[in-house]
Amino acid sequence: MKVDVLLGLQWGDEGKGKIVDVLAPKYDVVARFQGGPNAGHTLEFDGKKVVLHQIPSGIFRAHTRNVIGNGVVLDPIVLQAEIRKLAAHGVDAHRNLFISKKATIIVPTHRLLDLAQEKAKGVDKIGSTLKGIGPSYQDKIGRQGLRVGDVLSPHFQERFKKLTDAHFEILKGHPEISYDWPELSAQFLEAITFLRTLQLIDSEYFLNRELQAGSSILAEGAQGSLLDIDFGSYPFVTSSSTVTAGACTGLGVAPRHIGEVYGIFKAYSTRVGSGPFPTELIDEDGERMRREGNEFGSTTGRPRRCGWIDLPALKYSIMINGVTQLLMMKADVLSIFPDIKVCTHYRLSDGQMTESVPYEYAHQQITAIYTELPGWKCDIRNMKADAVPTELANYIQFLERELRVPITLISTGPDRLQTIYRN
Ligand code: GDP
Ligand code: IMO
Ligand code: MG
């Protein structure tokens, strides 16, 4: 069997959580490969709504085992709270959650450093979720991070102190950041005690053995390709590899084991935080899109910036990821518009037209050039596969022609059941 990968092609929040939950019954294992509690993946079913931050979105499927891979940064406090919430839904994470010993631990000072770094940037701030993502990946790459396997060492407390002492030195330069360390560290150490009760594993061996035994594996991405550390709109990005290649390094599976790459996108675009967004609507239409799509961050509650679909950006993401199937989300939100705009090109500040994402993406004025398609102007939320309005069918065909990848699934609402498969 192969490892299929599901990842966001835009700036995150495409609906990865919903679709991983929908696809999970087909998979023996679901594995998160990067990111951390900056993610907010929403699942809706049986009248319930759950937002997952650290735990893979296959957790509600009884026969699916869920792995937090080595590429993830893990906040034990967030994890403990999330596991408690799952218990209230009758899910026992002690049974079907496995955590890589090589995943990096987020300590409370990482969150403080995140805040300090953002404050220091002033108007150029990234708009970080302030979950400690940047600083924890900095420590990982700087070879001084704590890893999940370290919690089993008798020297864990010492190592924790050494790392946080280094952070306190930096925080001395930021007297504006106040905190109650006895409280924060007590909370952290309690969560570490809890972490020790979970299944901590050598996840690269676990996953490769599963592959050899014929199990099917779905790798779940967090964030989106336009937030990728290398290929995103740098510096307005997250600190991990959100692309297909990140699934290999974030799980320890070889490139030849990658199978389908599901690229998920909204029928429009959203972005939360700072950075370029050529198709952004800063008018009444943008407000309506936000209201209709309930576009408020699943992790921070911040209003998401909204705009039309951006084909140059999507083509770029499809190229980097080797997408084999496209999944289109939230088409129902566009039902309110009589006409739908699609950005096909950019005009750069020197007047040149392009279909490519330019290097100076974040630092020049880019004008989106649109074509317009008629809208479907009807409620499609509970639509069946054989009742797709002509205008929506045309929109899908137009996108398939432009993007040269089949759209095999359309989502028409947040619930598991509001999903249409296309052959
Ligand atoms: P993720 O981070 O990619 O998992 O996405 P989020 O959960 O942050 O954001 C997607 C939001 O859209 C959530 O509130 C979902 O419940 C919701 N959603 C998912 N699919 C659809 C859809 O097809 N239509 C509508 N209206 N909402 C959807
Ligand atoms: P999911 O998995 C949308 C954005 C932040 C900020 C930038 C860097 O739910 O799609 P970070 O905290 O990572 O240092 O923030 O990335 N961001 C997300 N935007 N969805 C996410 O995750 C995001 N995770 C981070 O808003 O602009
Ligand atoms: Mg989200």
Side-chain angles (χ1 to χ4, degrees), residues 375-389:
W376 38 96
K377 294 174 292 186
C378 59
D379 185 357
I380 58 166
R381 266 167 292 190
N382 296 305
M383 168 181 87
K384 297 278 171 269
D386 56 2
V388 177

Side-chain angles (χ1 to χ4, degrees), residues 5-27:
V5 182
L6 181 138
L7 41 75
L9 299 180
Q10 297 161 316
W11 285 287
D13 303 329
E14 295 89 352
K16 298 175 290 294
K18 164 177 167 164
I19 295 300
V20 170
D21 171 63
V22 165
L23 297 179
K26 281 196 350 195
Y27 290 93

